[in-house]
Amino acid sequence: MSTLASSLRPFTKNPISHKKPNIPAFSTTIPSSSYPINSNASLSFIAPLEAILFDIDGTLCDSDPLHYYAFRDMLQEIGFNDGSPIDEEFFINNISGKHNEELCRVLLPDWEFEKAMKFMVDKEVLFRRLAAEQLEPISGLNNVCKWVEDLGLKRAAVTNAPRANAELLISMLKLQDFFEVIVLAEECARPKPFPDPYLKALNALNVSPNHTFVFEDSVSGIKAANAAGMPAVGMATRNPEQMLLVAGASLVIKDYNDPKLWENLQKMVHQKSSL
């Protein structure tokens, strides 16, 4: 099987090349209603709060559907799964949150590594083309960013995404001046779920993990945050609530407008002022 060309010509007849995917239609098939969100969780133990670290994909913006569409169509193009398109459950369980080098082993174990990485690079090109047309921030993101700035908290973006993706998404969200530090897993010894990217962010900001928490939407990201000594607020943007809680999320929210989040933020501010 030949290496995919860098050109996107093989996808010119693909529906996603001509119209925007219906993002709201992307939904998990994994049941989560039987596993309630822990609404009593509290983050007040980390007060006084010094910093907040943010993942990018699925945490700042609802980008997982675009990754799913790109992987679905490109994997089908090469005959993966006998040519049957992957479904959302497969994407959530096997792809979401993983670094591209790991995905080479998961999805294309029989390919030479260079060829598999070329496939991943082409997939990211398609993803960026889709993202440039329709990316939207997670609801309430601007309010949280303003709250962080008003309090003078330190902040960093920490991602497994390649540099081109991270720069595009942060630029489209107009957060270039918001983040003091951007940590790329590809520039660390190990990506998430290892703690290396988050430990690098803590070191760069010169803050303690005892007074910092993380916003994450994936299992690998939550495990990385916990391994670095920090609690994680799970963003149930697309991944099931149960999955995030089992991974170790201290609290799971639907978006940045969730009352549970603001209750916790206000408690931390009140506790800081009382110290």
Side-chain angles (χ1 to χ4, degrees):
M1 190 177 297
S2 61
T3 303
L4 288 179
S6 58
S7 167
L8 290 176
R9 290 177 184 174
F11 304 96
T12 55
K13 294 183 180 180
N14 192 306
I16 64 175
S17 300
H18 301 287
K19 64 180 182 179
K20 296 181 180 180
N22 183 12
I23 290 179
F26 183 94
S27 61
T28 177
T29 57
I30 302 176
S32 59
S33 58
S34 61
Y35 198 108
I37 292 177
N38 182 4
S39 59
N40 296 319
S42 172
L43 296 175
S44 59
F45 65 92
I46 64 173
L49 183 62
E50 296 179 351
I52 301 178
L53 309 182
F54 295 78
D55 175 49
I56 297 180
D57 277 299
T59 301
L60 298 178
C61 51
D62 189 12
S63 53
D64 263 9
L66 305 183
H67 284 290
Y68 165 66
Y69 295 131
F71 269 116
R72 181 195 64 189
D73 285 66
M74 289 190 64
L75 287 171
Q76 187 174 18
E77 183 77 17
I78 63 170
F80 183 86
N81 193 31
D82 294 327
S84 297
I86 62 170
D87 59 20
E88 296 158 12
E89 182 175 352
F90 180 91
F91 175 83
I92 289 170
N93 289 329
N94 298 281
I95 297 177
S96 180
K98 290 183 172 63
H99 191 263
N100 277 342
E101 291 188 10
E102 182 181 5
L103 288 172
C104 289
R105 297 188 292 271
V106 171
L107 299 176
L108 306 168
D110 298 329
W111 287 27
E112 293 181 357
F113 180 73
E114 292 76 12
K115 178 180 177 181
M117 279 302 295
K118 178 61 166 58
F119 176 91
M120 297 301 165
V121 168
D122 289 344
K123 173 264 161 182
E124 300 298 359
V125 170
L126 178 56
F127 164 77
R128 289 193 293 273
R129 194 182 78 195
L130 295 172
E133 297 174 354
Q134 56 198 288
L135 195 73
E136 295 291 340
I138 298 297
S139 180
L141 176 63
N142 290 339
N143 294 332
V144 166
C145 290
K146 183 178 186 305
W147 184 87
V148 170
E149 288 180 321
D150 288 347
L151 288 180
L153 300 175
K154 295 183 178 181
R155 56 271 191 185
V158 183
T159 181
N160 270 359
R163 176 176 293 279
N165 287 23
E167 291 179 347
L168 172 66
L169 300 188
I170 287 175
S171 174
M172 291 189 66
L173 295 169
K174 297 180 171 56
L175 294 176
Q176 303 97 312
D177 297 329
F178 175 74
F179 289 113
E180 300 170 73
V181 173
I182 298 175
V183 176
L184 305 173
E186 63 187 21
E187 297 176 354
C188 299
R190 301 174 298 180
K192 307 173 192 177
F194 295 101
D196 304 40
Y198 279 119
L199 291 174
K200 183 174 180 178
L202 289 169
N203 184 63
L205 293 176
N206 191 28
V207 294
S208 168
N210 297 325
H211 302 293
T212 304
F213 77 88
V214 174
F215 282 115
E216 267 286 359
D217 76 305
S218 71
V219 167
S220 65
I222 290 169
K223 288 182 176 180
N226 290 170
M230 294 176 288
V233 173
M235 299 291 299
T237 313
R238 298 293 177 180
N239 289 329
E241 297 158 6
Q242 177 180 0
M243 183 181 290
L244 302 180
L245 287 166
V246 169
S250 298
L251 179 73
V252 177
I253 59 176
K254 288 296 185 183
D255 56 37
Y256 293 106
N257 291 321
D258 196 310
K260 294 189 298 297
L261 171 63
W262 288 99
E263 289 171 9
N264 274 273
L265 295 180
Q266 295 305 323
K267 283 180 182 178
M268 281 186 280
V269 171
H270 176 73
Q271 187 161 335
K272 178 179 179 180
S273 64
S274 302
L275 295 176

